[in-house]
Amino acid sequence: MRIPLSWLADHVDLAPGATGRDVAAAFVSVGLEEEDLHGGDVTGPIVVGRVLSFSDEPQKNGKVIRWCTVDVGPHGQMESERIAQEIVCGAHNFEVGDLVVVVLPGAVLPGGFAIAARKTYGHVSHGMICAEDELGLGTDHAGIIVLDTYLGADAAAEVRPGDDAIALLGLAEEVVEVNVTPDRGYCFSVRGLAREYWHALGSPEGGFRDPAAVPTPAPSPTGYAVELTDETPLEDRTGCDRFVTRVVRGVDPTRPSPAWMQQRLTQMGMRPISLAVDITNYVMLAVGQPLHAYDLAKLSGPIVVRRARPGEHLTTLDAVDRTLDPEDLLITDGGEVPLALAGVMGGATSEIDASTTDVLVEAAHFDPTTIARSSRRHKLISEASKRFERGVDPDLAPAAAQLVVDLLVEHGGGTADPGVTDVDRTSRRAAYLLEVDLPSRLVGHRYPRERVVEILRDLGCTVVDGSVVDASDGPKGAHVLVTSPSWRPDLVDGPDYVEEVARVNGYDNIPSVTPTPTRGRGLTHAQRVGRLVANALVGRGATEVLTYPFVAESLADAFGLAADDERRSATRVANPLSDEAPLMRTSVLASLVEALRRNVSRGQKDIAIFELGSVTLPGPDSEHTAPVPGVERRPDPETVAAIEAALPRQPRHVAVVEVGEAERAGWWGPGRAVDWSDLVDAARAVAAALALELTVEADPDHAPWHPGRCARISLPDGTLVGHAGELHPKVLATLGLPPRTCAAELDVEVLTVASASATRFEAFSTFPLAFTDVALVVDAVVTAAEVETALRSGAGEWLESVTLFDVYAGDQVGAGLKSLAYRLAFRADGRTLTTEEVNGFRDAAVAAASAAVGAVQR
Amino acid sequence: MSGPNKQYDPVEVATLDPAHLDAAVTAAFAAFAAAGSLEELKTARLAHVDKGAVAAAKREIGALPPSAKADAGKRVGAALAELGRALAARTVELEAERDRRILVEEAVDVTMPVGRRALGARHPLTLTTQRLQDAFVGMGWEVVEGPEVESEWMNFDALNLGKDHPARQMQDTFFVDPPDGGLVLRTQTSPVQIRTMLDREPPIYVVSTGKVFRTDELDATHTPVFHQIEALAVDKGLTMAHLRGAIDHFVRVMFGEGTRTRVRASYFPFTEPSMETDFVCFACHGDGRTNDAPDGAPELLRACRTCGGSGWIELGGSGMVNRKVLTACGIDPDVYTGFAFGLGIERALQLRSGVTDMRDIVEGDVRFSQQFGMEV
């Protein structure tokens, strides 16, 4: 909402010398956030000009520029030689003889744009002819301002080339724009903002002059007939509870609205249209009551307000034919012909036009929910709907209608009908019994009773001593009975009033007291695990990145997932930003490959990245509907359980992707390429950080990994942790990723659960270590893990470690066989092992390997 | 002088002559000194100690008459001791020289580039999250987390965002298909507060951190996926003063002692009274205007792009937990009060580290993370 300082000053005494910045700061102090500051940043010369001649000149870039001469009065570049101003203009919406706005060299436009004579399109342009947006008057850039239409012919007849356009258009005046929160609809008016500014100054006696404080006539039976009906109220609130109509006859349709009104509308960001429309807009901006003007000649029956019928249509003023919903509220002519979508937008059939002389003015009060839904349903946010859905003062309609009538009579030469309609079904606002101490208690700052009452009264509340109705046990005078003013429907219960007291008294006066919780237990195990997992990977040289969890439907195929793979069951976003990526990822790898691709495309070759984040696993048969219980009380445990059951499982995973060199080449020698083992080792590092052991098996069937280079990683008890290895060459080719890219994905929840209990210390021996080496020949298909398991099973209790230090396949061992060389290390508790003992252990280990996998010692 | 020996050999006896012995010792000293290496010293030792005149003199002592033995033995012994000391001293010198030379010979160019193994880094956003979490944990709060695909009830209804609230529209919220299934991608971390209140009895002092989703297209200042931290306290006797105190503490921890803030009334459905906290703009320091011109020409003074000209940057919303929210979670609002505040972690990172383009945070370019190492 905007407010020009001069308009504000009409209704509240400004602080002496107040600038736009000061006024904005005052608004902030009462909780209205500053959005912007307009105007006041234009310096001259900006003058009225008359177009004397022009020629259209096509340019190489396809544009046609207009080379103009303009009479700018005594400001011309070569006035002494009687040569008119020469200006290049890109717009074509003007004719010779038109009055335009000319910015001359030396002027500065909003945003700090300094204007100078400059060479462009083969001419020296001595200034510029302005469009609305360039002057900060609006957003219109369709063409330049032609004053004859912009001001109206009458007003334009008064101006001469060379006149100061800054004064003419009010460009020098500062306009403050504030952001109005949804609870304070009344601030969508000069009336509301003036009151708030007055509060910011301390609500000085007599400092605020309510623009809606005008005498209004009593309703009379001769007013235009109005019927309010509503057979299906929303949430038990009738769609329309007040409807005021007034009639003004004999309005001269050719009269323009006065220049001052047009200027204010422009400053507020609205376009002047016609006298009747401008007046309704002006009064709406002044007091906050949306109004509508109908051409009385186009109405026949009484006005009937009702809900729309199924299939009914209305063409609104924006020329859109709208199919109505039975929840939409309509203003109709005689109950049959829809005239307007109530509180949102008028219809085309009863529109004021160039021949309208008799005007019916509507000032009504509509249910916020009805208007909000209609506005959203039809994607139509109007100045009216914006105000109605935030709550309009239900007592305002008669005064607002009177203001419109007065202006139509004054500026349109009309005569007001004596008949006044006011169908009033508004209900009295309930008084609230406010504990006077509540603001002090809830804010933590002492507000004396007198101060609380004073603030509430300044706000417009009616405050009476609560003891008359105070049935509570508290001391006399502990309560006051507060009735909120009609423009504050948001004030309902205690905390609402507390905020008002704290706000008007100044939020800056709220003290700062650090709370002192005493039961903190630090981070949870799961939280520490998350940090450790990430840090362990960083320790291995990987870099953490973040990716969006949205993936393409085609990714499951690109990954080569089997038809029954659980990861194909994905949660789908109903309204994705991109139809290319409507699914939530079922693996972190699914989105991490995007980050890999981006880094590759930006020239990185050796990449190790990881991400720790949620995956969404709804499973193939899950029911996705969550109950939405009420909020009047805590939902019962079954309902909470049903909500939880509807949520997909969302475990935390970590994925790592590596490609390029694991160890770089350099002056020290050649590098070493990343291979599957680096990723298994990464998994091991993660597990080791949590003091967990992992079991590794070959998994020939886990997409998107290479069937021969994929390790299934599990806990010793068999619980699956994840997979690591090289990705499938076909997957890499399909996704356009570098060959030999390796990856791992681990379920961090599994690691968290497994590492939850404190690690138990195991005593270790300090006696010497004894080594013995053994080379075993096995069938090539036997895995290292199988051989190691067998060796461990036979080596006895003093085995400390088994290290595979060589693998050989070739002529010396024979076709289809391989040789694995192990170093076994033994250490006993409490004594030194003899060579004979160690040899015995070794032989037993070899025997076990022979029995288990047919190993033969070389 | 001793008497003549019956096996007297005038030639051999000459080696025992004091002057002769002195000369031999002097010659040995000279040889030791001349030795330029441990090898040469060894040669000198062989020539002058193990063999040579002094060794010969020692051998000849036995041939002397008993009366002369003691005197000669003393002189030869002294000479040998002198040689031993000299030899040891020279050995130490030469060893030190050798060690020095080896170290010099082994010297390398330590300025050659290293980096055989890549260095990793955390993402600054997760680091910022950790820093924020730690600030609260240090105050005795706990960290809570919740699901990103969330129920509408937790994300909206329980937070007093009724069915008609604008935030529940498709243009703001990602809905899970089917759209009427009651599931959304959470638009805020506040549903975690609801979960906490359903789970725990007051006193509650928790912060929830995590990913949230809004249907904004990615550009320099917006991202559809971002991160929030929200604090929730529910206890007996909590006031807006406590809320302010918690925010002030947090601001000091995050942005330093001198950071100027202001508070103003605001509106959020889940709090009443509500409050907004602003920071002084780090780009224009509160002036609201910046000047791009090198000569500071006044006509080029323009509204600060960082704060939009107001001089302040929004830190985040807060307030006393709405009674309706407490009620929906089964907490008696007549017994307990609570406060909540939240802010975007991206914004905290931007403020702290001068990251101006949101795209750098979300694109996953390793060069972004690598600037930060393991700490923001």
Side-chain angles (χ1 to χ4, degrees):
Chain A
M1 176 71 185
R2 296 181 180 207
I3 177 107
L5 295 201
S6 65
W7 201 350
L8 184 66
D10 283 353
H11 302 291
V12 62
D13 297 335
L14 299 192
T19 64
R21 297 267 290 165
D22 300 333
V23 170
F27 280 132
V28 168
S29 74
V30 288
L32 289 159
E33 188 194 359
E34 175 186 346
E35 184 78 34
D36 211 345
L37 206 52
H38 307 270
D41 52 354
V42 176
T43 54
I46 301 174
V47 300
V48 174
R50 186 181 298 281
V51 179
L52 299 175
S53 71
F54 61 75
S55 60
D56 286 340
E57 300 179 355
Q59 303 295 315
K60 279 192 227 103
N61 62 6
K63 282 189 181 173
V64 177
I65 62 107
R66 199 165 261 199
W67 173 233
C68 313
T69 57
V70 185
D71 175 8
V72 292
H75 305 282
Q77 72 209 60
M78 286 177 275
E79 169 65 11
S80 50
E81 282 101 82
R82 310 289 298 166
I83 295 176
Q85 202 77 358
E86 294 164 333
I87 300 173
V88 170
C89 184
H92 300 95
N93 65 322
F94 58 93
E95 301 299 333
V96 168
D98 279 350
L99 286 171
V100 296
V101 181
V102 179
V103 179
L104 296 172
V108 179
L109 293 185
F113 294 104
I115 303 302
R118 65 189 189 95
K119 199 158 185 336
T120 179
Y121 294 113
H123 298 286
V124 175
S125 182
H126 293 268
M128 131 188 179
I129 305 177
C130 283
E132 280 184 33
D133 63 337
E134 288 155 345
L135 294 172
L137 285 171
T139 53
D140 190 359
H141 193 78
I144 54 108
I145 298 174
V146 176
L147 288 170
D148 311 64
T149 48
Y150 189 82
L151 297 178
D154 286 1
E158 304 290 314
V159 300
R160 298 281 170 269
D163 285 1
D164 180 13
I166 293 178
L168 181 72
L169 300 172
L171 297 176
E173 191 185 354
E174 288 188 285
V175 178
V176 176
E177 184 171 358
V178 294
N179 192 4
V180 176
T181 53
D183 57 329
R184 291 207 254 160
Y186 70 102
C187 283
F188 276 113
S189 68
V190 173
R191 181 195 192 207
L193 291 178
R195 180 178 279 279
E196 288 301 326
Y197 180 75
W198 178 61
H199 292 318
L201 296 190
S203 318
E205 188 76 34
F208 169 66
R209 297 171 291 278
D210 188 346
V214 290
T216 53
S220 62
T222 55
Y224 198 89
V226 171
E227 293 169 24
L228 305 185
T229 67
D230 189 358
E231 282 160 16
T232 52
L234 296 186
E235 292 165 1
D236 291 333
R237 284 195 308 272
T238 181
C240 175
D241 60 6
R242 189 157 201 182
F243 206 103
V244 170
T245 63
R246 298 289 298 273
V247 171
V248 180
R249 296 178 197 273
V251 176
D252 178 356
T254 65
R255 294 239 202 139
S257 25
W260 60 265
M261 186 183 288
Q262 295 199 26
Q263 186 178 317
R264 279 190 170 171
L265 289 173
T266 304
Q267 286 172 328
M268 299 296 270
M270 295 184 85
R271 283 183 72 78
I273 293 164
S274 68
L275 180 63
V277 174
D278 289 354
I279 287 174
T280 54
N281 282 337
Y282 180 78
V283 173
M284 175 186 70
L285 293 171
V287 298
Q289 167 72 55
L291 297 141
H292 193 67
Y294 299 89
D295 185 340
L296 188 63
K298 294 174 184 167
L299 303 182
S300 51
I303 282 181
V304 177
V305 181
R306 62 164 171 83
R307 299 278 169 186
R309 294 167 187 154
E312 212 167 356
H313 281 252
L314 172 67
T315 302
T316 40
L317 282 175
D318 54 1
V320 176
D321 175 55
R322 298 176 188 275
T323 306
L324 303 171
D325 184 279
E327 273 195 1
D328 289 331
L329 194 70
L330 291 182
I331 315 293
T332 66
D333 185 9
E336 288 308 315
V337 183
L339 297 175
L341 186 57
V344 182
M345 191 172 273
T349 55
S350 56
E351 197 180 348
I352 299 278
D353 60 32
S355 63
T356 303
T357 55
D358 298 347
V359 177
L360 177 87
V361 180
E362 166 206 307
H365 185 253
F366 300 111
D367 166 46
T369 307
T370 297
I371 304 307
R373 289 193 192 170
S374 289
S375 165
R376 248 157 250 149
R377 187 178 298 122
H378 298 289
K379 295 189 169 53
L380 188 54
I381 297 168
S382 64
E383 293 293 325
S385 72
K386 219 161 72 180
R387 287 169 174 80
F388 278 124
E389 73 172 275
R390 286 165 174 83
V392 166
D393 183 348
D395 292 357
L396 194 57
Q402 184 63 48
L403 290 168
V404 173
V405 168
D406 291 346
L407 288 167
L408 275 174
V409 168
E410 183 184 349
H411 299 288
T415 313
D417 264 14
V420 174
T421 303
D422 183 357
V423 182
D424 184 1
R425 302 211 180 125
T426 55
S427 41
R428 282 178 53 87
R429 293 177 303 284
Y432 179 79
L433 193 61
L434 176 71
E435 213 185 324
V436 182
D437 261 356
L438 188 66
S440 304
R441 266 211 335 269
L442 202 52
V443 177
H445 176 67
R446 180 92 201 111
Y447 301 100
R449 180 194 170 90
E450 304 70 46
R451 181 70 181 131
V452 171
V453 171
E454 180 189 24
I455 288 173
L456 294 177
R457 289 200 171 128
D458 286 343
L459 287 167
C461 296
T462 310
V463 185
V464 298
D465 188 354
S467 55
V468 284
V469 291
D470 192 353
S472 66
D473 304 331
K476 276 273 180 226
H479 292 77
V480 288
L481 198 58
V482 194
T483 310
S484 66
S486 55
W487 59 89
R488 295 299 304 271
D490 59 308
L491 301 183
V492 177
D493 66 0
D496 298 329
Y497 289 104
V498 170
E499 177 172 301
E500 291 304 296
V501 171
R503 178 173 79 83
V504 173
N505 194 67
Y507 263 36
D508 276 341
N509 296 320
I510 300 173
S512 177
V513 178
T514 310
T516 51
T518 55
R519 300 186 187 181
R521 292 166 295 185
L523 295 176
T524 62
H525 174 63
Q527 288 155 2
R528 282 194 299 268
V529 165
R531 294 184 179 195
L532 283 169
V533 166
N535 289 350
L537 290 169
V538 172
R540 287 185 48 82
T543 296
E544 185 181 27
V545 298
L546 297 176
T547 63
Y548 289 165
F550 309 125
V551 298
E553 280 183 275
S554 58
L555 193 71
D557 289 337
F559 266 22
L561 301 186
D564 60 347
D565 193 303
E566 196 206 13
R567 290 168 294 168
R568 274 192 183 269
S569 304
T571 294
R572 178 181 297 273
V573 176
N575 52 332
L577 275 187
S578 160
D579 290 333
E580 300 294 302
L583 302 181
M584 298 298 286
R585 66 183 178 194
T586 56
S587 67
V588 173
L589 186 58
S591 59
L592 192 57
V593 290
E594 276 308 311
L596 173 66
R597 198 206 310 272
R598 177 165 288 128
N599 279 291
V600 169
S601 76
R602 291 182 181 180
Q604 304 285 338
K605 287 192 174 59
D606 307 318
I607 301 167
I609 52 176
F610 74 96
E611 180 177 8
L612 175 63
S614 297
V615 297
T616 307
L617 301 172
D621 314 308
S622 63
E623 178 53 57
H624 297 309
T625 298
V628 183
V631 292
E632 304 73 29
R633 68 190 68 82
R634 181 193 169 98
D636 57 54
E638 293 72 38
T639 307
V640 175
I643 289 174
E644 296 299 350
L647 294 180
R649 215 160 62 75
Q650 297 168 64
R652 246 185 337 169
H653 281 194
V654 65
V656 191
V657 173
E658 297 189 14
V659 73
E661 288 183 334
E663 285 174 36
R664 311 287 191 255
W667 54 263
W668 51 78
R672 183 179 69 73
V674 167
D675 65 32
W676 63 272
S677 68
D678 289 299
L679 278 297
V680 176
D681 209 29
R684 213 176 57 92
V686 165
L690 304 171
L692 292 175
E693 278 180 41
L694 295 178
T695 304
V696 175
E697 298 157 274
D699 192 336
D701 193 21
H702 192 76
W705 274 270
H706 186 309
R709 295 183 176 185
C710 174
R712 181 187 197 272
I713 313 267
S714 51
L715 296 173
D717 70 3
T719 310
L720 176 68
V721 175
H723 291 83
E726 189 178 309
L727 293 178
H728 198 297
K730 217 168 97 190
V731 172
L732 295 176
T734 305
L735 293 175
L737 298 174
R740 301 293 175 206
T741 297
C742 296
E745 174 138 358
L746 306 174
D747 187 333
V748 178
E749 301 307 333
V750 169
L751 296 173
T752 302
V753 171
S755 59
S757 53
T759 303
R760 299 296 301 175
F761 168 70
E762 282 176 32
F764 47 81
S765 166
T766 54
F767 281 82
L769 195 58
F771 296 100
T772 178
D773 293 350
V774 55
L776 299 175
V777 177
V778 293
D779 197 286
V781 300
V782 174
T783 67
E786 288 168 325
V787 178
E788 182 175 326
T789 304
L791 286 172
R792 284 181 181 279
S793 72
E797 62 174 325
W798 303 130
L799 179 71
E800 189 166 290
S801 65
V802 178
T803 311
L804 176 65
F805 65 86
D806 191 34
V807 179
Y808 173 78
D811 295 345
Q812 293 181 34
V813 290
L817 298 174
K818 64 181 172 185
S819 166
L820 305 174
Y822 289 93
R823 170 158 295 177
L824 308 181
F826 296 92
R827 174 147 42 195
D829 259 355
R831 65 194 171 88
T832 302
L833 292 170
T834 65
T835 308
E836 291 70 33
E837 282 178 299
V838 171
N839 289 345
F841 298 151
R842 179 197 61 207
D843 293 344
V846 170
S850 298
V853 296
V856 176
Q857 190 169 5
R858 272 178 93 189
Chain B
M1 279 307 262
S2 54
N5 191 309
K6 57 180 178 193
Q7 296 169 327
Y8 182 69
D9 178 345
V11 177
E12 291 188 317
V13 166
T15 58
L16 275 169
D17 175 69
H20 199 98
L21 204 55
D22 283 348
V25 167
T26 306
F29 279 5
F32 293 167
S37 69
L38 287 166
E39 288 69 34
E40 286 175 23
L41 186 63
K42 187 179 171 191
T43 310
R45 190 195 68 198
L46 288 171
H48 294 276
V49 183
D50 298 359
K51 293 176 185 163
V54 183
K58 189 182 172 190
R59 275 198 309 279
E60 289 190 356
I61 291 172
L64 289 179
S67 57
K69 265 186 184 166
D71 179 53
K74 210 178 280 172
R75 280 188 290 111
V76 171
L80 278 172
E82 225 174 316
L83 289 184
R85 280 195 295 275
L87 189 64
R90 185 60 184 152
T91 302
V92 168
E93 278 176 24
L94 287 175
E95 276 177 354
E97 226 167 77
R98 177 199 61 188
D99 290 353
R100 256 198 311 278
R101 196 177 59 244
I102 287 172
L103 292 180
V104 168
E105 282 168 5
E106 285 181 356
V108 294
D109 177 3
V110 297
T111 68
M112 285 194 291
V114 294
R116 205 172 302 210
R117 293 207 59 108
L119 301 178
R122 296 292 304 276
H123 194 283
L125 197 92
T126 54
L127 294 174
T128 306
T129 306
Q130 286 184 192
R131 178 177 275 274
L132 293 167
Q133 290 173 337
D134 291 346
F136 280 97
V137 167
M139 289 164 73
W141 297 55
E142 295 183 15
V143 178
V144 289
E145 286 153 314
E148 291 163 11
V149 177
E150 181 56 284
S151 61
E152 281 195 65
W153 189 83
M154 301 270 185
N155 192 70
F156 291 128
D157 296 76
L159 288 157
N160 194 33
L161 288 141
K163 276 207 171 41
D164 292 306
H165 195 278
R168 295 184 77 150
Q169 305 305 307
M170 282 261 190
Q171 62 263 33
D172 290 306
T173 300
F174 287 112
F175 283 82
V176 168
D177 197 50
D180 57 356
L183 297 184
V184 295
L185 305 193
R186 68 178 178 191
T187 60
Q188 47 193 352
T189 46
S190 315
V192 186
Q193 300 183 6
I194 300 300
R195 292 172 170 276
T196 306
M197 287 190 279
L198 290 173
D199 267 5
R200 299 187 182 193
E201 299 282 322
I204 292 170
Y205 290 88
V206 295
V207 288
S208 53
T209 54
K211 216 171 256 186
V212 300
F213 305 82
R214 308 256 174 102
T215 55
D216 289 320
E217 295 280 352
L218 174 65
D219 62 25
T221 53
H222 297 89
T223 160
V225 183
F226 56 104
H227 298 74
Q228 281 187 336
I229 179 164
E230 286 201 7
L232 168 76
V234 182
D235 205 342
K236 287 177 181 165
L238 285 180
T239 65
M240 292 181 83
H242 291 118
L243 166 60
R244 239 194 129 166
I247 293 177
D248 284 348
H249 180 87
F250 158 78
V251 165
R252 283 193 298 270
V253 168
M254 201 60 201
F255 304 109
E257 287 291 334
T259 313
R260 273 164 61 209
T261 60
R262 70 176 184 190
V263 291
R264 54 192 164 85
S266 190
Y267 171 76
F268 308 103
F270 28 90
T271 52
E272 186 72 37
S274 300
M275 186 166 101
E276 187 84 51
T277 307
D278 297 329
F279 264 99
V280 80
C281 174
F282 58 85
C284 66
H285 308 289
D287 290 341
R289 297 285 179 274
T290 52
N291 197 327
D292 301 334
D295 57 352
E299 66 270 20
L300 291 178
L301 206 62
R302 58 178 64 223
C304 172
R305 271 185 287 260
T306 306
C307 63
S310 71
W312 295 91
I313 296 174
E314 235 170 71
L315 171 67
S318 65
M320 302 305 287
V321 181
N322 194 308
R323 290 171 63 89
K324 291 176 186 166
V325 175
L326 292 174
T327 304
C329 296
I331 293 175
D332 185 346
D334 290 324
V335 177
Y336 293 102
T337 54
F339 65 77
F341 67 95
L343 78 151
I345 299 176
E346 277 78 1
R347 168 144 295 182
L349 171 62
Q350 289 180 311
L351 288 168
R352 216 181 135 76
S353 301
V355 180
T356 51
D357 195 324
M358 195 67 84
R359 285 171 288 211
D360 289 330
I361 299 178
V362 307
E363 282 184 338
D365 193 316
V366 292
R367 293 168 298 174
F368 182 66
S369 298
Q370 282 167 357
Q371 292 183 15
F372 294 87
M374 299 278 276
E375 172 74 322
V376 285

